Each structure stands twice: as C-alpha cells, then as structure tokens.
Amino acid sequence: MRSTRDEDDRMLTIYRRHLDSCEHRLLGRSYAKCACPIHCDGVVGGAACPGKPRHRQLARAVRRAAELEEEASGGQVRKPLADTIDVFLADRTIESSTARKYRRIGTYFNQYAERVGVSTVDKFLLVHLDGYRVERKLSPLSWSKELQLLRTFFDFCMKRKWCKENPAKDMTMPGDPKPRPRESYSRDELSKIISASDRIGQGSYERLRSRAMVLLMRYHGLRISDVATLERERVRGGEILLYAQKNGKVVWAPAEVEVLAALAVLPLPKGATSDCQYFFWNGSGSREGQTKTVGRTLQAVFSKSGVENAIAHRFRHTLCNEILVNGGTIEDAANILGDSPAVIRKHYVKWSVSHQARITEVLNRVRGARLAHEENNSISGLFSLDGLVPGVGLEPTLPLPEKGF
C-alpha cells in the first residue's frame, strides 16, 4: 500500500480495512484489490491523523492523503465546497425569498463542482468558472448578478483562509447589462385592467378584493408585498401611511377617492376575525405566502384584461411617468414610490410619448415661442438662422471699416 513521506514528522499510510465478509481479510491490510473501506494512519505535522480519506477508490484516496500532507506543510485549511456554501448562506442576513434564490445558485454551483472533480473551495479555478458560465446559459443581466454573488462568496472564503485567491474577480463582468425596458400603461390598458378586476373569480369576494388591489397599485404604485400586508391602521383621515418592505422607507400620501371607496366595501379576509388588522390577509401563515396569493390574483386579472405583457411592476412605471410629466421632479417620484433618486433614474425614467411631450413643453417655455434672432433682419437670408455673414462671422453691431490703411 502506498505511503506518502516528505519529512520524518509527516507521513500518512493508507490501507484497506477489510470487512468481516471480505474474502481477502486474511491477506492483511496491505492487500488493496477489493472494495473495502479505505482508512489512513500516521503523523502529519507532529500530530496523529487516524481516519479515512472518504473514498473507496484507491487512486482518489492517495490524492486525498497527499492533500492532507500538503495542508500540514502550508497551513492551508481544506474546506469542502458544500460546507463553505452552507456557512456562507448562514452568515447572510437576507429575506427568505432571497435566501432560497442563493441556495438554488449554491446547489447548481456545488453540483457543477462535483461533476468536474472539485471537492474543496481552494481547488476551484478560473477555468472551472469559465465552464460553469457556459453551462448556466444565463442572460447577461442574470449572469452579472450571479457573478457578483460568486465574488462575494470567494471573498468570504478568503477571509477565513479557506482559499488563497478569488477566481471570480478575474472573470469579466458583462458590459453594462440592462433589464428589459418596461413601458408605462396607457389609459386604455389601465381601463381594461380595472374592468377585468370586476370579472374574475366566482363572486363578489374575489372581485372586490382584486379591484382594491389594482387601484392601490394604480394610484399609489405599491409593490405586491405592500398590498398583500396592508394594515387597516395605515388608512385613516383620507390618507395612507405605507411601509415599503423592500427598502424600509416610509411613504405617506393622500389617498385617492376611488381607493378609499374600494377599501370601504372590502369583505373580511376568509378565516379572519372581526378585529383583523389587515385588509387582504387574515394574519395566519407567512407574509411570503400571502404575497404569492395576491400575486396569483393579480395574474388572473392581467390574463382576463388581455393587456400584453401586463405585470404588477408596470404600475410603478406608470405612476413615475405621470409624476414627471405633470411637473414633478425625480426626487418627488422617489419620495412617492419609496425609492432613492438614483433608482428612479436607473429603472423608472424611460422613454415615452408623454414624457417626451413634457420635455418639449419645458424647452419651449425656456426658449420662448420665437427665438430672439427671428425678430431681427439679418444681412444674409442664407445665414439668418445663426445671424452669420459670409467671410465676417457674427453680424456686426457697428459699421465695418473700409479696406486699406
């Protein structure tokens, strides 16, 4: 049986520990041509290291023994990739939905590592990440987010001495990935969606609830999670006090008359007591589960409306566009939607006919209906637009001197 020896105080011997049922048991532990478990013993770095390299294949066991000796000489801690992923996720303070997404990515990452024969995090190289990128087949935007997560993961491992470098930092980030632009709803599309909310389900319970949900998103730009868990105490005196769960900002706004009327006739959520504190939720189960329920209701409304590419988030784009077109600033839109001005500029200020009309109107007011030079007679009609004279430049205000001295 092979032993590895570099120094007198560092040596491991691997051997087969024959089972009672093994027909080669009497040949001793040096006999390796069977499938019995592989164990090792010896001294590494001056300390005894009994145990097994976790492999039944001899070649892999030999490589693992060599790795153990290398760790002892270099001080490198070899951490199984699956274990590092578990520790990394446990260290994150994130929402449960985000945790599930990270867990799913970690599962893909670990399964790929097993296929290419990488068992510890320090063995994962740039060439492995190249193969992982090809196998994942993600859009540039999705890959940029996943690559950033991998960079954070390897930084986490480096700080704990589980690897010496971050291979994800050597990968090129996709050039300026942008999400697919989402246009605002037109007035006709909004009418179709609101009308569809009165026609879904089997009765008034579903229809009254869906109408109130749609109006809240239409006039106040709420996220689905905000609508799903809207508390009654946040609607009083004709005003709505909202808590945007995604970023923790508090948004206060006057309530639309249509919204107040829709909330006033809402039935109690099924299974709720008479003192239920929520409009759409009975308080049982998780907030995430309630958000999914509301999402399914809205999806039914969008399907019934026939509006193409209708999704809940387009209500926020619609409200933002209306704010800007009607004289509001980016800061105003940020305060109403509960986001930062930077987020508004990046995600919500998109091209639209109404937005362009607003820009044209503002520029016309600044410049005036007629430009100043149009009120003066220029020397040359050909250059009247800029008031230029061939060979001279700007039209002079004083007579030109005669040629000569």
Side-chain angles (χ1 to χ4, degrees):
M1 184 67 66
R2 174 179 174 178
S3 299
T4 56
R5 182 196 300 269
D6 292 330
E7 300 174 359
D8 292 339
D9 64 341
R10 184 162 58 84
M11 183 185 76
L12 284 178
T13 301
I14 60 176
Y15 61 91
R16 296 278 188 186
R17 177 173 288 183
H18 298 291
L19 302 174
D20 293 340
S21 57
C22 180
E23 60 184 31
H24 306 292
R25 182 183 181 191
L26 297 178
L27 297 179
R29 71 180 195 173
S30 61
Y31 185 86
K33 296 180 180 181
C34 63
C36 293
I38 296 177
H39 288 244
C40 68
D41 62 12
V43 176
V44 176
C49 184
K52 54 184 179 180
R54 299 182 180 180
H55 300 294
R56 286 179 179 261
Q57 297 180 5
L58 185 59
R60 297 184 66 182
V62 170
R63 288 197 299 270
R64 179 57 183 151
E67 290 175 354
L68 290 172
E69 293 184 348
E70 182 183 348
E71 293 169 15
S73 62
Q76 175 69 50
V77 178
R78 286 270 161 73
K79 190 78 170 177
L81 185 58
D83 293 347
T84 61
I85 293 174
D86 291 338
V87 176
F88 172 73
L89 293 177
D91 186 68
R92 304 292 94 180
T93 304
I94 50 181
E95 295 289 336
S96 57
S97 58
T98 305
R100 280 201 309 275
K101 181 177 69 175
Y102 286 5
R103 173 69 63 182
R104 184 169 62 253
I105 294 174
T107 300
Y108 292 148
F109 192 62
N110 186 53
Q111 289 175 347
Y112 171 79
E114 291 178 350
R115 285 196 296 274
V116 298
V118 177
S119 58
T120 57
V121 66
D122 61 301
K123 294 295 184 181
F124 212 98
L125 306 176
L126 180 60
V127 65
H128 298 133
L129 280 177
D130 290 335
Y132 178 73
R133 169 69 180 101
V134 173
E135 186 174 301
R136 286 288 280 147
K137 298 179 181 179
L138 298 173
S139 67
L141 178 62
S142 297
W143 173 244
S144 67
K145 294 180 179 180
E146 187 159 325
L147 179 56
Q148 186 56 53
L149 177 62
L150 291 174
R151 288 177 175 179
T152 304
F153 167 71
F154 281 107
D155 277 340
F156 177 86
C157 295
M158 286 179 64
K159 291 178 181 179
R160 287 152 181 80
K161 312 298 183 183
W162 296 340
C163 63
K164 295 181 179 179
E165 58 183 16
N166 186 338
K169 284 189 174 180
D170 294 328
M171 294 202 73
T172 303
M173 186 69 73
D176 192 22
K178 294 181 180 179
R180 182 176 61 185
R182 291 169 178 166
E183 297 296 334
S184 302
Y185 286 121
S186 66
R187 290 186 177 275
D188 181 59
E189 289 174 331
L190 289 171
S191 297
K192 290 180 178 179
I193 294 173
I194 295 173
S195 175
S197 67
D198 295 327
R199 294 183 282 114
I200 70 163
Q202 301 298 321
S204 61
Y205 178 82
E206 295 88 351
R207 293 164 187 171
L208 291 174
R209 285 167 60 87
S210 63
R211 181 179 178 83
M213 293 174 188
V214 168
L215 292 177
L216 280 166
M217 305 185 83
R218 158 64 185 111
Y219 289 110
H220 298 290
L222 299 187
R223 299 182 178 92
I224 294 180
S225 58
D226 298 324
V227 172
T229 58
L230 183 64
E231 299 180 18
R232 294 181 179 275
E233 65 177 11
R234 295 188 179 274
V235 180
R236 58 176 181 266
E239 299 173 343
I240 297 183
L241 183 63
L242 303 170
Y243 182 82
Q245 294 181 342
K246 187 173 182 180
N247 52 28
K249 287 194 174 182
V250 175
V251 183
W252 178 90
E256 283 286 332
V257 175
E258 285 187 66
V259 173
L260 293 175
L263 293 177
V265 297
L266 268 181
L268 278 174
K270 290 182 178 179
T273 59
S274 58
D275 60 346
C276 179
Q277 61 178 320
Y278 301 100
F279 282 105
F280 304 101
W281 185 27
N282 61 16
S284 63
S286 65
R287 289 177 175 268
E288 184 178 2
Q290 169 65 7
T291 301
K292 289 183 178 180
T293 300
V294 172
R296 288 192 293 267
T297 300
L298 291 171
Q299 190 57 48
V301 173
F302 297 143
S303 179
K304 178 71 77 172
S305 71
V307 175
E308 187 176 357
N309 298 323
I311 59 173
H313 210 74
R314 284 181 63 184
F315 285 116
R316 291 174 66 80
H317 289 267
T318 303
L319 180 58
C320 179
N321 186 62
E322 291 177 343
I323 294 169
L324 297 176
V325 166
N326 288 282
T329 65
I330 289 179
E331 287 70 21
D332 293 331
N335 291 332
I336 293 172
L337 294 176
D339 275 316
S340 67
V343 170
I344 297 297
R345 291 188 184 94
K346 181 177 180 180
H347 296 290
Y348 294 106
V349 180
K350 303 295 183 183
W351 174 270
S352 70
V353 174
S354 54
H355 195 187
Q356 175 59 27
R358 174 65 182 173
I359 293 174
T360 302
E361 178 189 347
V362 170
L363 289 178
N364 284 338
R365 287 205 308 266
V366 171
R367 296 173 180 174
R370 298 178 62 189
L371 299 177
H373 65 72
E374 294 178 347
E375 299 177 357
N376 300 322
N377 295 322
S378 62
I379 295 177
S380 171
L382 180 63
F383 293 90
S384 62
L385 181 63
D386 297 314
L388 299 178
V389 178
V392 176
L394 292 173
E395 294 180 353
T397 56
L398 297 177
L400 292 174
E402 297 182 358
K403 293 184 179 180
F405 296 95

